[in-house]
Amino acid sequence: MKTFYGDDQRRHDPKGFLSSGAPQPNPEKPERIDRLLAGARAAGSSIHHPANHGLAPIAAVHTPEYLEFLENIHRRWQMIPGASQEVIANIHPINRSGSYPASAVGQAGYHMADTSCPISAETFQSACWSAWSAVEAAETVMSGERAAYALCRPPGHHAFSDVAGGFCFINNSAVAAQRLRKQADRVAVLDVDLHHGNGTQGIFYGRADVLTVSIHADPVRFYPFFWGYADERGDGAGLGYNYNLPLPRKSGDDVFLDALESACRRIEAFAPQALVVALGLDAFEGDPFGGLSVSTAGFARIAERIAALRLPTLIVQEGGYLCDELSDNLTSFLTGFGSAV
Ligand SMILES: [Zn+2]
C-alpha cells in the first residue's frame, strides 16, 4: 500500500491551546509525522509526494469565504496592534444567524470553533498539502489500487465547510470522499478516531450519496460535546445516512469491535463503491487523551474487519498523539489491513 505525504505539511507548528481553560502546549505537533512515517515504513509502505492539486478539490467541500479566511487571516491579524502571534479567536457568535463580520477578530470567531486550531503564517499551506495527500491517495484508489494511505497532518475531521476546530482546518476525509464521488455513486466514510467526526458529519449531513459513520467516545463528557450522539441521523435527503456509535469511556477492543461490526453492516447495506477510513489512532489505551482503551493488537483487528468489506479503501490519518506506541499502532493497522486483502 502506498503512503502519500508532503514535506510542507510540517510547516504548521501550533504552539498552544486551552484545556479546561488552562494554557497547554498544543499536542498536534509536526513530530507526529516522523512517528507515522516510521510506522508506515515498518508496514512495508512506500512513501510518495503528492502533486499540488490546487484549490478545486478543497473548494468542493469548503466555502469560498472560509478558504479566503484561512489563506489571509494571519497577515491581517498581524496588523492589529498587540495581537497574538497565532490567530486564536476570543469571541464567537451565539449562533450563525447574525451577519458575517468584516473584521479579522470577528471572522476568527465566526470561522474557529475553539482554541485548539491556532493559525500561523504556515497553516494554510500545510493544510492544503495535507488535503492534497488525501486527493493523491484518492486518485490512486480510483486508478485501481485496492487501498492507499494518506498521512494527513494537520488532521481534518473536526473541520466543517466553513469552521476550523479541534486541530483541524481542511477536512481531508471529506475532500477525499468528494473526490472519490467522481467515479463512485456512493461513498462511505467510516471514522474510527477517538473523537466524533463532527465536521465530516456536518459536511454530508443533508446528502444521501455519502454515508457517514463514526465510532467514538461518548460526547456527553468528551470533545466535541455538541455532536456525536446516536440520535443524529442526517437531515432532509440525508436522513438515515449518518450513523453514530458513541462508546463509554475506556471501552477496550471487544466493545470497539462490536460497534465496528454494527458500523460495517450499515456500510454493507448502503453498498458503496468506495470507502474512506478516517483513521484516528487516539482511541489507543496509551494515547494522551485517554478516552478509549484500544490496544496495539486491536488496531490490526479493526483493520481486518474493515478490509473484509472488500471495498476500494482510502485510509486518511486523523488524530493519534505522541506516545511510545504511535508508530506501532499505525504499523499494526496497515499490516492488519494488508494481511486481510
Ligand atoms: Zn481525535
Side-chain angles (χ1 to χ4, degrees):
M1 186 189 312
K2 290 177 181 165
T3 290
F4 293 93
Y5 154 74
D7 279 327
D8 282 340
Q9 292 176 224
R10 289 178 191 276
R11 288 164 55 187
H12 171 65
D13 186 6
K15 303 305 178 204
F17 82 127
L18 297 179
S19 178
S20 303
Q24 300 286 349
N26 195 300
E28 206 289 282
K29 297 181 189 308
E31 188 185 346
R32 293 179 65 237
I33 289 169
D34 301 312
R35 307 278 184 101
L36 294 166
L37 280 174
R41 286 196 181 100
S45 182
S46 54
I47 314 297
H48 303 263
H49 201 287
N52 177 333
H53 287 270
L55 283 182
I58 298 170
V61 297
H62 289 288
T63 65
E65 68 185 14
Y66 176 61
L67 295 178
E68 191 176 316
F69 165 82
L70 284 181
E71 186 168 12
N72 297 307
I73 188 59
H74 185 265
R75 180 182 49 76
R76 295 168 58 202
W77 197 258
Q78 297 316 309
M79 291 191 272
I80 304 171
S84 56
Q85 283 231 319
E86 296 180 318
V87 179
I88 297 181
N90 52 266
I91 186 168
H92 300 273
I94 297 170
N95 57 48
R96 310 293 295 287
S97 63
S99 297
Y100 186 64
S103 79
V105 171
Q107 288 182 6
Y110 190 89
H111 289 300
M112 299 168 88
D114 52 50
T115 63
S116 63
C117 46
I119 295 174
S120 70
E122 313 288 346
T123 299
F124 183 63
Q125 277 303 310
S126 266
C128 283
W129 281 101
S130 189
W132 293 331
S133 287
V135 171
E136 192 93 8
E139 304 281 337
T140 301
V141 168
M142 287 194 289
S143 72
E145 295 205 18
R146 166 70 206 279
Y149 169 60
L151 199 171
C152 292
R153 181 278 164 188
H157 73 149
H158 297 307
F160 287 73
S161 63
D162 64 351
V163 178
F167 314 135
C168 301
F169 305 91
I170 293 172
N171 194 316
N172 309 304
S173 290
V175 167
Q178 186 64 37
R179 191 69 167 189
L180 290 169
R181 279 283 290 105
K182 286 176 79 174
Q183 259 185 22
D185 290 338
R186 290 183 306 283
V187 176
V189 181
L190 171 59
D191 190 316
V192 296
D193 189 280
L194 165 64
H195 304 93
H196 174 240
N198 55 333
T200 317
Q201 170 177 305
I203 286 169
F204 297 116
Y205 207 57
R207 289 171 50 173
D209 58 328
V210 179
L211 173 72
T212 45
V213 180
S214 182
I215 306 170
H216 48 266
D218 193 328
V220 68
R221 285 189 183 80
F222 209 69
Y223 189 92
F225 300 104
F226 311 110
W227 303 272
Y229 298 91
D231 61 358
E232 295 159 20
R233 298 169 49 239
D235 195 24
L239 186 63
Y241 295 92
N242 185 75
Y243 187 37
N244 285 334
L245 294 130
L247 303 182
R249 288 285 287 273
K250 299 292 182 188
S251 292
D253 293 349
D254 291 341
V255 173
F256 198 102
L257 283 156
D258 279 350
L260 181 64
E261 186 59 36
S262 178
C264 287
R265 285 186 186 156
R266 180 66 68 95
I267 290 167
E268 282 163 347
F270 179 65
Q273 287 108 20
L275 175 68
V276 174
V277 179
L279 176 63
L281 296 167
D282 45 5
F284 177 55
E285 57 192 348
D287 187 89
F289 279 96
L292 293 173
S293 298
V294 173
S295 69
T296 298
F299 285 111
R301 293 171 67 194
I302 291 167
E304 286 164 14
R305 179 63 188 94
I306 294 170
L309 290 167
R310 302 196 174 283
L311 290 167
T313 301
L314 171 47
I315 300 160
V316 175
Q317 187 65 48
E318 297 287 358
Y321 298 93
L322 293 180
C323 58
D324 290 344
E325 298 85 353
L326 181 56
S327 302
D328 294 343
N329 291 339
L330 179 61
T331 305
S332 178
F333 186 93
L334 295 179
T335 305
F337 193 96
S339 70
V341 296

